Each structure stands twice: as C-alpha cells, then as structure tokens.
Amino acid sequence: MFAPLRRESIGWDDGYEDGDADEEGCYGLDMLNWVQTAQHRVGHVEKYSTTRSHLGIYLNVGLTARYRRPSGGTVKPRLFGALSILISKHPILSAIPAGVDTPSPYFVRLPKISLSEVVECIDENTQPRSSDWRAELDNVLEDQHNRPFETLPNQTLPFWRICVLEEHSTPTHFTLIFIFHHSLMDTQSALSFHEELERYMAQDTGAEVPDMISTPSTPLPPPLEDLHTLPISQDYLRSQEKQHFPPPDSWTGAPQSLPVKTRFSSLWLTPAETHNLVNMSKNEQTSVTGALQTLITTSVFTVLPSTYRTLQVDCAVSLRRFLPENITATPLGCYVGSFSMEYRRMTSFSWSEARRTKAIIEQIIEKKGGDMSVGYLRFIPDLHLWMRQKLGRKRMSAFELSNVGRIPASRGRLQYEIEGMLFSQSASACSAAIKVSAVTGRDGRLVLGFTWQEGVVEGDMVEQIIRVLKGEVEGLVVQS
C-alpha cells in the first residue's frame, strides 16, 4: 500500500481541529448545521487515504462479485432491502471525509442515504458489445476507477457506490460492483460486505423498502493506532531518514506524476489452474501469495530488457490478526499494512524464490505490525507536502501485490449466491508502477486485476506480462 517512507521532520500532532470557515460553501447550509456537531477523528491511515484522493493521486478500491440467482429474479428490490440493513448496521457507511485540504481532516456522518443515488444499474444492451463479458466488465471497472468521490455543494452522497451489471444473455447471473473510498475500509472489509449482502438478499422478506435510509448513531470503528501500538524501532527510524532511490538497474516505470488516468485489465485463472497452484504451493512448502508474487516477478523480468537486473516489489498484509477479537468480528474498517522486498533477475520461475518470498512474509508477520510504513505515518507532519514532494521523483517499486485470499464457502445453497470475484483498484501517482489485486471466488477461480497509470506503463507491456504469467501458470499445470 505504501512506498518506502522518508522521514521529513518530527512533531506530529495527533489531535484534530474544527472545520474550516468555508464549510458552508462545500456542503450547503443544512449540512453545515449538523457537520459542526458531528466530527469524528481520522486515523493516520485514513488521513493518508483522504490526502492522496484529494490530490488526485489515488481514488478508490473495488470488489466485484458475480452472483447466481433464480432465472428471471429481480435484483433491485432485494438489493435495496439488503443495503438498508447494512447501512443501519455499519456506521462507517455513513462517514465522509471533510477538511481534506487541511493537515487535519475528519469524518462527518450523513444522517440519511438515498439508495437510488448509490446504486446504478447498467443494462448490457447499453454497453459496447464484446465476445467476452469479462472484457466488458474490465471496461466498466476502468471507468469506475477514474471516477473520484467528491463532496459537492448541496450533495450528501456517501463515499461508496454500487454498480449492477444486468446480463440478459445469462438471466441466471448478474454482476455487482462495490466501489469504495480507502479511508472507509480495506478489501477484507469489502469481502465481508459482499458476504453480508449475499445473506440479506437471500433472506428478503418482500417488504417495501424506502429510498431514504436513516444511518445509525453508533460510533465509527476505531482507527488502527487506537488498537495497536505499531511500534517503530530506532533502526527503522534511522533507515527512514535516508533519501531512497531505486537502484539504476531496477525498473519502476515512469516517474511519479499527475494527472492519473487508470487503465485496467483482468486475468481469470481456471478452477483447475487455481487448484493446481494451491496444491503445488503447499507441496513446495510455500504459500499461494509467495508463489504468485514470484510468478509475476518472473513475468515482468521476461518482458523487460536484460539491462534491468533487479525489481522492488511491495506486498500488502492484513493486520487484523493482531487486533482485538471484537474488531475482527466487526470487520468494516481499514487495518492493513505493507512491506517491500527485492528480487534479482530470474530467467524462469523458481520454487526456491517462492519459498524465500514466503519466509520474508513470515518474518514481517512475526513483527506483529512493527517497523511498517503504516506505523511511520505518525511522524509525517504534513502529508500534503510530503506527497507533493514525491511528484517528479522516481518510483521505488515495480509492482504491488494485494491478495485478499478466498471468500469462505456459503452456509448452504442460497437463492442469491456469490460465485466469482474480482478485486481491483485505481492506479496511483505515488506508488508501484503496476498494482496487482488478487482474490479467489467460490467458483474456484483465482482472479488478478492489473492496474496501471496511462503514460507511466505502456498498455502493451502489461498485456505481455499477463500473457507470460498465464503461460507460466499453464506450464505448472503441465509439470504437475
């Protein structure tokens, strides 16, 4: 999630200030009346997300589910009923960032949410035709990841939305895209959101649901630093004081720059390929993430000129395992960190490198959240300045892998049931050149979402990487 951080100065203030005097111009008078009495502290991770979205550096995250339904089953009434329960249950769904142009942003709470304003239904007949519904989905997701969340005059839209793709050619299925601002939650939260949505849609009572749903007054989930000390050692602090540059033989794409136009493409492994990758990883004493990260690295090296000898790779990790049990059980929040590791050029995929990757991940996990960039955020006094200073500089990393894992099996066969899943996100002006987002659905397919910034990485290069990666996975199937 984070590129390596550099210590700019010390003197961070953990407090937050009242809103600026120009809030009326941002929100409208009616909203101002309750905004002033309903401010909620934003944690360091959330502040990081609100700042970079305000600057246009990184916009949003998406988790898409392909649902099976009874033939001819109507989506919207059941979806509205399920959303009304979720909105009433999870206060973070009513939170929107305010004061985002200041060093001390904060959350305010929407008193009501209009379901018709957060749900968009797209008929496949209105979309450009493609021979593959997955190609159509990639186009829709690319558009969604270029649409920022904004607080506009006299509008009170939440910082999440849903897009439903109706497929008349396959009436037994529909696709539901959940797009959200990263300050509200992480992708593990979005996975839980989909699971709850599935359960409530299956339990639909047929009762009429009003369009305007009142939001709860219960507290927002606590920020990460309220739940974990995120310790930073003196050695780590000293390492962050140094100016970081990638080695001259390391590929990182074009320098960090604005504006960001996100490009997106997905790779859907077959159930057999996924099953084989899981089993071989286990037999080779590594993890799926370790194998996958090494496979992607091999594919990137294959496409790059031989003059590039090293690659820096970022890997996102969930910190939920180190948090109190009640937080793990109430999962809508942002509790994620990351780390970086280096690879030397490989001429072919190596299981020993996959084992090395797993060992490094385990070493990071053994620190239980210590010495991570997420913990170092508290030492950055001005995130706006820090991020602006990155622009024009070289990136540190070639790609970032975020693997959210596999969605748990459903409890019995439901009328409306999730099958396939796709994890995606916006490109970023100030992090790895390519973002790879992975999730495995109940259909047994591991799906990878590739994101890159137009002008930073050539689209042809990403498509080459995807083709090579697909070939590498197919080669493992043959070997097995």
Side-chain angles (χ1 to χ4, degrees):
M1 183 175 72
F2 305 108
L5 302 177
R6 181 169 66 89
R7 190 177 187 183
E8 303 286 344
S9 61
I10 303 300
W12 183 262
D13 181 5
D14 280 331
Y16 64 100
E17 301 171 355
D18 290 339
D20 293 337
D22 63 354
E23 280 180 336
E24 182 175 345
C26 293
Y27 297 105
L29 183 59
D30 291 340
M31 189 173 179
L32 176 62
N33 291 334
W34 61 266
V35 164
Q36 290 178 324
T37 59
Q39 296 178 10
H40 303 264
R41 184 167 65 89
V42 166
H44 298 309
V45 176
E46 293 86 353
K47 191 178 298 184
Y48 174 83
S49 289
T50 59
T51 301
R52 62 180 178 165
S53 63
H54 172 68
L55 296 175
I57 289 170
Y58 177 95
L59 300 183
N60 56 48
V61 190
L63 190 63
T64 299
R66 184 167 161 83
Y67 280 75
R68 179 191 53 77
R69 63 175 168 186
S71 183
T74 306
V75 176
K76 187 175 280 190
R78 285 179 177 264
L79 175 58
F80 276 27
L83 284 175
S84 68
I85 299 172
L86 280 167
I87 290 170
S88 301
K89 181 178 177 182
H90 294 290
I92 195 65
L93 295 175
S94 65
I96 60 173
V100 294
D101 58 345
T102 74
S104 302
Y106 52 91
F107 282 133
V108 295
R109 301 276 291 277
L110 296 172
K112 294 180 182 295
I113 293 176
S114 168
L115 296 177
S116 61
E117 289 185 338
V118 296
V119 176
E120 177 186 10
C121 292
I122 299 179
D123 193 296
E124 69 173 358
N125 294 331
T126 65
Q127 297 297 300
R129 296 304 300 151
S130 170
S131 58
D132 188 349
W133 65 268
R134 286 168 292 194
E136 294 183 17
L137 177 57
D138 284 358
N139 291 333
V140 174
L141 284 170
E142 185 173 290
D143 174 68
Q144 289 289 327
H145 288 308
N146 283 296
R147 289 172 52 188
F149 290 103
E150 298 177 297
T151 305
L152 302 173
N154 303 314
Q155 288 191 13
T156 54
L157 294 174
F159 271 44
W160 59 272
R161 57 180 177 262
I162 283 176
C163 182
V164 177
L165 304 183
E166 287 279 14
E167 304 171 29
H168 296 298
S169 56
T170 52
T172 56
H173 290 79
F174 68 93
T175 302
L176 192 149
I177 302 169
F178 177 45
I179 303 291
F180 56 96
H181 194 279
H182 216 340
S183 66
L184 302 187
M185 63 185 81
D186 52 30
T187 312
Q188 191 65 49
S189 300
L191 200 62
S192 298
F193 178 94
H194 269 291
E195 288 185 271
E196 288 194 69
L197 200 64
E198 172 192 54
R199 184 166 68 251
Y200 294 136
M201 288 181 70
Q203 297 172 356
D204 179 62
T205 63
E208 186 173 347
V209 179
D211 180 66
M212 295 296 295
I213 305 299
S214 297
T215 62
S217 57
T218 48
L220 295 178
L224 179 59
E225 63 267 21
D226 284 6
L227 304 167
H228 195 293
T229 57
L230 300 172
I232 297 293
S233 68
Q234 288 300 313
D235 286 345
Y236 188 85
L237 276 175
R238 283 191 289 269
S239 74
Q240 299 308 301
E241 292 176 350
K242 301 175 183 177
Q243 181 74 52
H244 292 279
F245 295 104
D249 64 351
S250 183
W251 179 84
T252 60
Q256 299 169 111
S257 63
L258 291 173
V260 175
K261 181 179 180 182
T262 292
R263 301 299 311 278
F264 178 78
S265 186
S266 63
L267 170 61
W268 297 64
L269 301 186
T270 66
E273 290 167 343
T274 303
H275 180 74
N276 181 74
L277 181 61
V278 171
N279 283 346
M280 289 193 76
S281 298
K282 188 179 298 182
N283 292 338
E284 293 288 344
Q285 299 181 317
T286 186
S287 62
V288 172
T289 299
L292 190 57
Q293 187 164 302
T294 308
L295 281 163
I296 298 168
T297 302
T298 305
S299 303
V300 175
F301 271 131
T302 300
V303 170
L304 287 173
S306 59
T307 50
Y308 292 106
R309 308 298 302 172
T310 63
L311 287 179
Q312 190 83 8
V313 176
D314 297 337
C315 183
V317 290
S318 174
L319 300 179
R320 291 171 183 271
R321 71 195 80 194
F322 310 124
L323 304 183
E325 188 174 336
N326 63 321
I327 295 298
T328 305
T330 310
L332 299 198
C334 195
Y335 309 114
V336 66
S338 70
F339 70 97
S340 297
M341 63 178 293
E342 185 178 88
Y343 291 85
R344 303 297 298 177
R345 176 171 275 277
M346 294 177 281
T347 56
S348 61
F349 172 71
S350 164
W351 282 111
S352 64
E353 274 296 285
R355 285 188 286 272
R356 182 179 77 93
T357 301
K358 181 196 177 190
I360 292 175
I361 293 173
E362 289 176 343
Q363 289 170 14
I364 296 297
I365 291 174
E366 285 174 5
K367 293 183 178 181
K368 299 182 178 180
D371 284 349
M372 274 194 176
S373 50
V374 64
Y376 187 73
L377 284 175
R378 64 182 181 267
F379 295 109
I380 302 173
D382 189 335
L383 278 171
H384 288 77
L385 175 62
W386 178 71
M387 289 186 179
R388 287 193 183 101
Q389 287 176 338
K390 285 176 169 285
L391 298 174
R393 297 176 180 172
K394 285 187 175 182
R395 297 167 191 269
M396 286 299 301
S397 300
F399 73 88
E400 170 194 283
L401 175 62
S402 302
N403 183 10
V404 76
R406 181 168 189 158
I407 184 171
S410 62
R411 302 180 183 90
R413 192 167 176 83
L414 304 175
Q415 279 192 318
Y416 286 73
E417 190 168 45
I418 294 171
E419 291 185 348
M421 298 206 80
L422 171 57
F423 172 20
S424 58
Q425 56 184 312
S426 297
S428 175
C430 296
S431 63
I434 302 170
K435 290 182 178 291
V436 187
S437 308
V439 66
T440 303
R442 294 208 188 103
D443 58 357
R445 304 184 72 150
L446 171 61
V447 184
L448 305 174
F450 287 78
T451 301
W452 67 99
Q453 181 180 348
E454 188 171 275
V456 169
V457 182
E458 293 298 324
D460 289 346
M461 177 183 175
V462 179
E463 295 303 330
Q464 279 185 276
I465 292 170
I466 293 173
R467 285 195 297 271
V468 172
L469 176 60
K470 176 71 170 172
E472 291 280 352
V473 174
E474 290 172 348
L476 293 179
V477 174
V478 173
Q479 290 177 26
S480 67

